[in-house]
Amino acid sequence: MKLFTKTTLAVAGIGIASMAFAADPLANTTWQTYDDGEPKGTVKITESNGVLTGTLIAANTAKGKKHVGTTIIRGLKADGGGKYSGGTITDPAKGKDYRMTASLSGNTLKLKGYIGPFSRSQEWKKK
């Protein structure tokens, strides 16, 4: 009976630990995007099997509205400690993809897109 209890507790502990690990703080969050300090749109970030994806769900300009529904973040993965890498970000207006990294600090998501040795940063705010 003691072995059964210990085994049950161990399995339950592993299950709880797995659920806590799987719950990424970016999963199912919504972000106000900014470009040069101006609000541009809203992005919904979702998670599937440890991979984060971001979709433009609203835009503040007529040009931007035609890109609503576009997936702009793909393949982003958590490195731990609020750091993310391995993804790409798409500039919907230009249709170009850039390697990206991100870091989460409270309600601020700092993104950095790379093309060759050059990079550009943005800060998004959680909605």
Side-chain angles (χ1 to χ4, degrees):
M1 186 65 163
K2 287 183 181 180
L3 179 60
F4 176 76
T5 302
K6 287 181 182 179
T7 303
T8 302
L9 289 175
V11 170
I14 291 169
I16 291 170
S18 296
M19 287 188 314
F21 179 74
D24 190 282
L26 281 182
N28 298 313
T29 56
T30 305
W31 297 85
Q32 175 65 59
T33 70
Y34 295 87
D35 192 10
D36 297 326
E38 296 293 318
K40 293 293 179 182
T42 305
V43 172
K44 173 79 173 187
I45 297 179
T46 56
E47 182 267 335
S48 178
N49 297 319
V51 178
L52 297 161
T53 302
T55 303
L56 185 64
I57 61 170
N60 295 359
T61 65
K63 282 184 178 181
K65 289 181 181 179
K66 67 181 179 181
H67 300 292
V68 170
T70 301
T71 300
I72 63 168
I73 295 175
R74 289 180 184 83
L76 195 62
K77 295 180 182 175
D79 296 331
K83 305 286 184 196
Y84 299 84
S85 65
T88 60
I89 189 163
T90 301
D91 178 343
K94 295 179 181 176
K96 294 195 178 222
D97 294 331
Y98 305 93
R99 289 180 300 113
M100 74 170 290
T101 59
S103 62
L104 178 63
S105 178
N107 289 330
T108 301
L109 182 61
K110 295 180 181 181
L111 301 101
K112 197 171 216 182
Y114 299 89
I115 185 163
F118 305 103
S119 67
R120 183 165 182 239
S121 299
Q122 288 186 344
E123 282 191 9
W124 296 357
K125 298 293 180 186
K126 191 172 185 178
K127 288 190 91 169

